[in-house]
């Protein structure tokens, strides 16, 4: 089983290196379902794994110029406060409630990323750094959620930087690794007050994830921005459904009513997407012939 855990951990690093997120989305289920840890221990361990792995992946992105240092440092510093508070608060919240909240936030974030990818605007000049007040507000909110649900925060940081901040997807990915590392260690400090970590397992998982991170970082700059955003969105959808499904009672999966509801929801989503895709978009009128004045006209 440990071999399977380590193999899956390599995917954690690849996800962080390529997408700038997905570390805890993968690590928590790996530690809970494959390594047999309880939820709160897995959440604390994931913060250590993701924090170290993000620091290693950050190096390759920084060398390629895909990191906004001021934005990342301010975002990370502010969100560390929220992450620590969220980590302390998590001690008093049932584990099932944490995982359900985790999954629902993943699905909401994925929907925002996929909606953005379908209506990508013409690329303009990328902002060098984001406004400080903007970064502070986003950092506090994302940090609190990070510590509460035990996520490094990439699935929230990347959309915050790309959708709300306007950074190119590749730059959002690189900058997010700086933020994730800072917030992960802060959140870990909050969790250590009430959780014991199996450090032997944590170090083995971290080593495997670091290998994946080095590989993933090398490919991140070669993937088109819109393709990267879509990949991030669908990846989070799959993991969100998986985590949410794992919290439902087993009897639900044997109920015809449950499967009928799932089928209707899928059909509604497909229909909605098809209708939106076929909706005519306004097209600018082409210039009419003869509308340009001849040369030399007064």
């Amino acid at each position: 089983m440990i071999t399977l855990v380590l193999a899956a951990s390599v995917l954690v690093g690849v996800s962080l290196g390529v997408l700038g997120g997905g570390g805890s989305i993968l690590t928590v289920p790996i530690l809970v379902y494959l390594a047999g840890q309880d939820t709160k221990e897995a959440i604390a361990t994931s913060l250590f794994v993701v924090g170290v792995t993000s620091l290693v992946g950050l190096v390759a992105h920084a060398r390629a110029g895909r990191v906004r240092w001021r934005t990342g440092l301010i975002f990370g510093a502010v969100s560390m406060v929220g992450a620590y508070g969220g980590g302390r608060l998590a001690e008093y919240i049932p584990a099932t409630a944490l995982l359900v909240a985790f999954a629902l936030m993943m699905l909401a974030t994925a929907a925002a990323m996929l909606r953005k990818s379908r209506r990508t605007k013409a690329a303009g000049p990328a902002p060098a750094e984001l406004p400080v007040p903007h970064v502070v507000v986003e950092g506090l909110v994302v940090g609190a959620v990070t510590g509460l649900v035990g996520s490094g925060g990439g699935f929230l940081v990347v959309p915050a930087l790309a959708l709300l901040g306007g950074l190119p997807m590749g730059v959002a990915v690189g900058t997010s690794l700086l933020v994730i590392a800072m917030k992960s260690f802060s959140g870990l400090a909050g969790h250590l007050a009430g959780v014991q970590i199996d450090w032997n397992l944590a170090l083995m998982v971290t080593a495997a994830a670091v290998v994946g991170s080095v590989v993933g970082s090398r490919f991140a700059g070669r993937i088109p921005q819109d393709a990267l955003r879509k990949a991030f969105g669908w990846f989070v959808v799959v993991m969100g459904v998986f985590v949410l499904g794992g919290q439902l009672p087993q009897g639900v999966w044997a109920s015809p009513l449950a499967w009928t509801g799932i089928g209707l929801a899928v059909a509604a989503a497909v229909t909605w997407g098809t209708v939106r895709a076929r909706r005519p978009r306004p097209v600018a009128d082409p210039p009419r012939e003869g509308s340009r004045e001849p040369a030399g006209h007064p």
Side-chain angles (χ1 to χ4, degrees), residues 7 26 35 70 72 81 83 96-97 99 111 121 123 179 190 192-193 213 279:
L26 283 171
R70 193 194 74 179
V81 178
T96 299
L99 283 179
K121 299 178 181 179
V179 177
L192 286 178
S213 176
R279 183 179 298 172

Side-chain angles (χ1 to χ4, degrees), residues 190-250:
H191 279 275
L192 286 178
V195 177
Q196 294 293 324
I197 291 179
D198 181 349
W199 289 106
N200 288 331
L201 177 62
L203 291 173
M204 287 191 292
V205 170
T206 300
V210 164
V211 172
S213 176
V214 172
V215 175
S217 297
R218 293 182 179 274
F219 286 97
R222 305 176 186 177
I223 303 175
Q225 301 295 304
D226 196 46
L228 193 59
R229 182 181 289 110
K230 288 181 180 179
F232 185 96
W234 284 113
F235 171 77
V236 176
V237 166
V238 171
M239 294 308 302
V241 170
F242 176 77
V243 173
L244 186 60
Q247 302 310 304
L248 296 177
Q250 292 187 354

Side-chain angles (χ1 to χ4, degrees), residues 4 53 57 72 75 80 101 111 128 156 217 238 257 277 292:
L4 183 59
T53 306
F75 197 121
M80 284 172 69
L156 290 176
S217 297
V238 171
L257 183 60
R292 183 176 297 176

Side-chain angles (χ1 to χ4, degrees), residues 71 126-131 134-135 138 157-168:
T71 295
E129 299 286 354
L130 301 184
H134 191 90
V135 176
E138 290 184 10
V157 176
V158 173
L161 295 174
L163 299 181
L164 303 179
L167 294 181

Side-chain angles (χ1 to χ4, degrees), residues 33 38 111 118 132 156 168 175 202 205 225 227:
Y33 300 115
D38 65 72
R118 292 193 183 105
V132 173
L156 290 176
T175 305
V205 170
Q225 301 295 304

Side-chain angles (χ1 to χ4, degrees), residues 8-16 21-32 46 102 106 235 239 243:
S9 299
V10 174
L11 297 179
V12 173
V14 173
S15 172
L16 281 167
S24 291
I25 294 175
L26 283 171
T27 308
V28 171
I30 287 171
L31 295 174
V32 170
S46 75
F102 188 36
M106 282 192 286
F235 171 77
M239 294 308 302
V243 173

